[in-house]
Amino acid sequence: MGLYDFLAQYWPRLLSGAGITVAQFLLAAALGVAISLCMGLMKLSQNALLRGAAVTYIEIFRGTSLVVQLYWIFFVLPLFGLTIEKFTAGYLAVGMNIGAYGAELVRGGILSVPKGQWEAALAINMSPAQRMRRIILPQALVNMLPPWGNLMIELLKGTALVSLISVADLMFEARQINSSTFLSAQVFGAALLIYYVLARFLVTPFMRWLERHMARKLGRT
Amino acid sequence: MLDKTGFPLEMTGEDTPMVSFRKVRKSYGALTVLDDLDLDVSAGEMVSIIGPSGSGKTTVLRMLMTLERINGGVIYVDGKPLSHMPKGGQLVPANERHLRSRRADIGMCFQHFNLFPHMTALENCMEGPVQVLGLSKAEARDRSEELLEMVGMISKKDQHPSRLSGGQQQRVAIARALAMRPKVMLFDEVTSALDPEVIGEVTNVIRQLVSEHNLTMLMVTHQMGFARDISDRVCFFYGGRIEEQGPPAELFGNPQRERTQQFLSAVREAV
Amino acid sequence: MFDWKWDFTWEILPRLVYATGNTLIAAGAGYVIAVVLGLMLALAQRTPSRALTFTVREFVEFIRSTPLILQIFFVFYVGPQFGVRLSPWMSGMIAIGLHYACYLSEVYRGGIESVPKGQWEAAIALNMTTAQKYRRVIIPQAIPPALAGMGNYLVGIFKDTPMLSVIGVAELIHTANAIGSENYRFLEPYTMVGIIFLAISLPAAGLIRLFEGYVRRKLGL
């Protein structure tokens, strides 16, 4: 069966799978950004307890594999009475994993802001919170956006693993179709193309737009 | 009333200086940068600080701006302790809250301007008044535009710092500091990072401040001519101490100490 | 922990240790493929042929933008459709080696581009052949800046080996799955797998940093 005929027959399932993939991506991205900010700031904190918590979180999530984290959240947490529905467990695991990598980007971004900016903010008597929020973070954000673009692609790819706990995303649908039709080249080829289109024509252009937009706000052109 | 170590909890009286360093010591590890510094600056006085690099002159300003903690002694601003706060009849090192309340009296301009790159010139000036002083946007705008007018930057008020020359950025930085209505202004080598042809536009603004406003000012500078023109007093720092100080005509015209003479002749040769 | 059974943990430990061996072999073999193939992909983008450069560039982009797990399925299932049967190990090594070859080609490219232009000119002035230029002058200088990236991807490939479980490679997660479903206990196997991953990847990351410093010193940088 040619790719065209194949798509004509199976597009609704691939489309619904892609929809779940996009939903997982967006939820995990929101969670990942929030965790990154939180852990990145904690790792820079004066408080040793907060710093220790952040280091532990980051090392655990970066030191183990996303598959392991996903299984642990989905299969082991219920043993502690914390049963999480598979769709939620999916983006939770992916988001928490990406959050650990993002935390390092946030930390690096904040450290990349010149010391003079802290001093100037102090000289107009801003509180530590105001300095961070009004002066440092906006500049740190611009500096760290390019590596966030790569991280977002990693995040999109990471969502394919939620199929392992039977979330009906694009990867899952592709496997299902494959096992009932054995049209492997067509179905996996089509899925590869869809992921590629999502990454290359949606995620990357959006991140580039965001970079340009933020750079304009900084008056850099 | 005196603290048990002999420092007053508050300085009162007619002749209370605006800024007072009392036996201030600053060291980084084993390296002593400032040694038992005593320096009083009266209200409305313009004091220039000169000296070779590493003499501790920039540290004086940075301690006054609370960018550096001090290791001994007490700094007073407008009669009240800045580096310390009174607690149970004693002076204890200031906490962040005390620093914030006292910092309001002080403004500073930096060698590298340190304008906020994500804000326009006007937004840079409005940031402190709105966020810190709690002024309405309209009030802060009026105040900031007036100051930008004064420093000759009103036509560039909607430009980001990246679009401004060094001299223009420094003038905006001066307006930003003034917008907080400080009693004391600190200028830390504000012309050192500038191209020679734009130094004048910044020094002219400072001249104008001296002649038209009753601000107390401390200035670290390498421009001896400028310091001589506008200062009420010049302090020559050497090795973490004030080696010699006096009215500019005397210090430049008839320096008493050998180190001052050496420094001044070395500077003259360089020009 | 409430329900942790130590005797069960000891009982399954030998199987997990054995599987750790497989995981390390998979990561090591995959990395060797990636290191060699990645260099070829990097050099292919430096030939005078614009068509070849463009094709390789797009191929690398494609592989990097799509999920590894999908590529593993693709390699494993598409072969038989055309009469080529590949073992799980073989398909896994091809997929993971190719995936990381693309990442490493970018690392090499960055390294090669960091060599100053004057070095090329000096090599030409000595009348070296192209092969000599690369082997004697350029690559030795391109390696130090590439080392950090190469180290990161070595740990990365190790953490991605659990994806090979989906086609039946008996690495750690595959073994943990088997233990879990035989005994209806998931807490110990999955937790132990997480700990094993941490116990290997954290020291490995540290060692890689030490090695990096050693090479830099050795080369007088």
Side-chain angles (χ1 to χ4, degrees):
Chain A
M1 194 188 270
L3 188 60
Y4 181 81
D5 296 327
F6 174 81
L7 285 177
Q9 191 172 346
Y10 289 104
W11 70 267
R13 288 181 66 183
L14 290 172
L15 192 67
S16 97
I20 299 287
T21 291
V22 170
Q24 286 278 331
F25 172 80
L26 292 175
L27 289 165
L31 180 66
V33 168
I35 291 177
S36 302
L37 210 57
C38 214
M39 291 296 157
L41 287 173
M42 275 166 67
K43 197 170 172 184
L44 288 170
S45 156
Q46 305 279 329
N47 184 321
L49 210 67
L50 289 179
R51 223 167 41 233
V55 170
T56 309
Y57 178 90
I58 292 169
E59 294 302 330
I60 286 182
F61 277 88
R62 297 206 319 172
T64 61
S65 163
L66 175 53
V67 178
V68 180
Q69 291 151 24
L70 188 67
Y71 282 1
W72 211 89
I73 287 173
F74 189 62
F75 292 112
V76 177
L77 281 188
L79 305 177
F80 298 92
L82 197 65
T83 302
I84 300 170
E85 189 260 327
K86 61 189 179 191
F87 183 85
T88 312
Y91 72 78
L92 218 57
V94 181
M96 287 172 82
N97 179 272
I98 283 301
Y101 290 89
E104 290 295 339
L105 299 187
V106 170
R107 182 174 156 270
I110 288 172
L111 291 177
S112 74
V113 177
K115 200 166 143 254
Q117 291 293 311
W118 289 95
E119 297 185 343
L122 183 142
I124 58 167
N125 207 9
M126 288 181 138
S127 69
Q130 282 174 326
R131 276 176 248 162
M132 183 55 90
R133 193 168 45 84
R134 305 269 322 162
I135 307 301
I136 305 303
L137 275 183
Q139 297 180 55
L141 190 64
V142 179
N143 293 347
M144 68 181 151
L145 268 180
W148 266 103
N150 287 333
L151 197 59
M152 283 295 143
I153 300 296
E154 293 304 316
L155 170 58
L156 175 67
K157 290 156 65 182
T159 62
L161 294 176
V162 302
S163 63
L164 296 178
I165 56 168
S166 304
V167 177
D169 74 331
L170 179 55
M171 182 71 231
F172 184 81
E173 293 293 350
R175 282 181 74 178
Q176 297 286 96
I177 296 169
N178 179 59
S179 56
S180 58
T181 65
F182 293 105
L183 296 167
S184 306
Q186 290 88 333
V187 64
F188 290 133
L192 281 171
L193 277 175
I194 295 172
Y195 276 111
Y196 181 67
V197 167
L198 290 177
R200 190 80 189 268
F201 300 104
L202 288 175
V203 178
T204 301
F206 174 74
M207 294 306 289
R208 290 276 151 76
W209 172 83
L210 206 59
E211 271 174 48
R212 277 199 309 275
H213 179 73
M214 297 307 293
R216 245 200 321 277
K217 273 192 139 178
L218 262 188
R220 298 180 191 157
T221 39
Chain B
M1 218 166 76
L2 292 183
D3 168 74
K4 71 175 174 201
T5 47
F7 292 105
L9 295 182
E10 191 165 347
M11 299 169 80
T12 47
E14 283 283 303
D15 53 350
T16 298
M18 179 56 81
V19 174
S20 182
F21 290 82
R22 294 290 182 90
K23 295 205 176 314
V24 171
R25 210 176 65 247
K26 174 72 188 172
S27 50
Y28 298 101
L31 178 76
T32 300
V33 186
L34 284 170
D35 202 8
D36 276 353
L37 174 71
D38 284 306
L39 174 64
D40 284 352
V41 181
S42 318
E45 197 181 9
M46 167 62 151
V47 173
S48 290
I49 298 174
I50 60 171
S53 59
S55 59
K57 50 195 195 311
T58 285
T59 308
V60 174
L61 300 195
R62 292 176 59 83
M63 291 188 311
L64 192 48
M65 191 64 254
T66 71
L67 292 168
E68 309 274 355
R69 295 252 159 181
I70 63 177
N71 303 108
V74 181
I75 301 175
Y76 298 85
V77 173
D78 203 10
K80 296 184 204 64
L82 166 78
S83 57
H84 291 68
M85 57 184 187
K87 194 176 177 187
Q90 293 297 317
L91 286 178
V92 297
N95 60 17
E96 175 68 23
R97 191 157 156 232
H98 178 79
L99 288 179
R100 276 205 82 199
S101 73
R102 302 300 304 130
R103 241 181 237 147
D105 285 346
I106 310 160
M108 183 165 181
C109 295
F110 300 86
Q111 182 179 357
H112 295 287
F113 337 126
N114 298 351
L115 287 181
F116 305 133
H118 54 307
M119 299 177 188
T120 63
L122 181 63
E123 286 165 350
N124 262 282
C125 296
M126 289 170 62
E127 181 68 9
V130 171
Q131 299 295 327
V132 177
L133 304 179
L135 262 59
S136 74
K137 286 224 165 139
E139 275 176 290
R141 182 182 305 267
D142 288 348
R143 182 187 283 195
S144 303
E145 285 182 343
E146 200 177 297
L147 287 164
L148 286 172
E149 178 83 57
M150 187 194 92
V151 301
M153 288 298 297
I154 193 72
S155 61
K156 303 269 188 186
K157 69 183 165 89
D158 294 322
Q159 299 284 355
H160 279 88
S162 58
R163 294 298 185 83
L164 302 176
S165 72
Q168 293 172 328
Q169 289 190 57
Q170 195 59 287
R171 285 186 281 154
V172 173
I174 294 172
R176 177 176 72 178
L178 291 172
M180 299 301 287
R181 300 264 159 95
K183 293 177 183 160
V184 183
M185 270 291 279
L186 311 176
F187 296 97
D188 184 13
E189 303 194 24
V190 287
T191 56
S192 297
L194 299 178
D195 291 331
E197 70 273 19
V198 298
I199 289 178
E201 61 189 61
V202 173
T203 52
N204 283 340
V205 169
I206 298 176
R207 272 178 220 275
Q208 193 185 347
L209 278 180
V210 171
S211 61
E212 292 171 15
H213 294 75
N214 193 34
L215 271 166
T216 308
M217 291 186 250
L218 275 91
M219 175 171 83
V220 169
T221 185
H222 291 296
Q223 289 185 278
M224 299 306 147
F226 181 52
R228 182 178 195 150
D229 282 359
I230 66 158
S231 310
D232 298 310
R233 178 156 48 119
V234 179
C235 296
F236 172 67
F237 269 69
Y238 189 92
R241 298 185 309 106
I242 299 177
E243 181 78 14
E244 182 171 355
Q245 57 176 318
E250 280 174 33
L251 191 118
F252 288 111
N254 185 21
Q256 300 299 308
R257 314 276 295 197
E258 202 189 328
R259 283 186 179 129
T260 319
Q261 291 160 5
Q262 282 171 351
F263 175 75
L264 289 176
S265 67
V267 169
R268 260 182 227 115
E269 266 171 42
V271 178
Chain C
M1 254 178 253
F2 335 137
D3 200 24
W4 184 273
K5 288 206 175 123
W6 282 107
D7 51 346
F8 180 62
T9 309
W10 293 122
E11 192 187 314
I12 64 172
L13 199 57
R15 286 177 71 183
L16 289 176
V17 170
Y18 182 78
T20 306
N22 276 350
T23 291
L24 290 175
I25 292 169
Y31 193 66
V32 169
I33 297 174
V35 164
V36 176
L37 194 58
L39 188 60
M40 282 153 54
L41 289 173
L43 294 180
Q45 292 177 62
R46 298 193 64 89
T47 58
S49 159
R50 307 257 318 229
L52 181 64
T53 304
F54 177 82
T55 313
V56 173
R57 174 89 249 119
E58 286 303 307
F59 176 76
V60 167
E61 268 309 303
F62 185 85
I63 297 289
R64 283 178 6 124
S65 314
T66 50
L68 171 58
I69 188 172
L70 183 50
Q71 292 161 9
I72 293 172
F73 276 116
F74 188 90
V75 174
F76 187 63
Y77 284 103
V78 170
Q81 222 179 344
F82 301 96
V84 189
R85 273 206 67 88
L86 294 173
S87 73
W89 269 94
M90 188 67 117
S91 338
M93 291 304 94
I94 292 174
I96 214 167
L98 184 62
H99 193 81
Y100 275 89
C102 290
Y103 278 100
L104 284 179
S105 75
E106 293 291 293
V107 171
Y108 296 142
R109 241 165 45 99
I112 292 173
E113 274 161 23
S114 75
V115 177
K117 209 170 144 235
Q119 294 294 312
W120 290 95
E121 293 173 352
I124 292 171
L126 290 174
N127 203 16
M128 285 178 160
T129 65
T130 304
Q132 283 172 330
K133 270 186 257 170
Y134 275 105
R135 215 178 58 237
R136 308 287 314 161
V137 180
I138 304 304
I139 289 180
Q141 297 187 66
I143 284 175
L147 271 182
M150 290 179 73
N152 284 342
Y153 288 126
L154 175 58
V155 179
I157 211 167
F158 168 67
K159 287 186 293 188
D160 271 354
T161 51
M163 291 188 207
L164 299 173
S165 66
V166 295
I167 52 170
V169 173
E171 49 62 71
L172 268 167
I173 268 290
H174 191 269
T175 308
N177 285 341
I179 293 171
S181 44
E182 285 159 24
N183 302 279
Y184 300 104
R185 288 194 65 83
F186 291 94
L187 171 61
E188 294 86 356
Y190 285 146
T191 307
M192 287 308 291
V193 168
I195 291 170
I196 292 172
F197 267 98
L198 271 182
I200 295 174
S201 66
L202 291 186
L207 282 178
I208 286 165
R209 262 195 295 281
L210 284 180
F211 179 69
E212 229 185 285
Y214 169 78
V215 171
R216 267 171 205 285
R217 270 195 310 281
K218 198 88 181 160
L219 290 164
L221 293 167

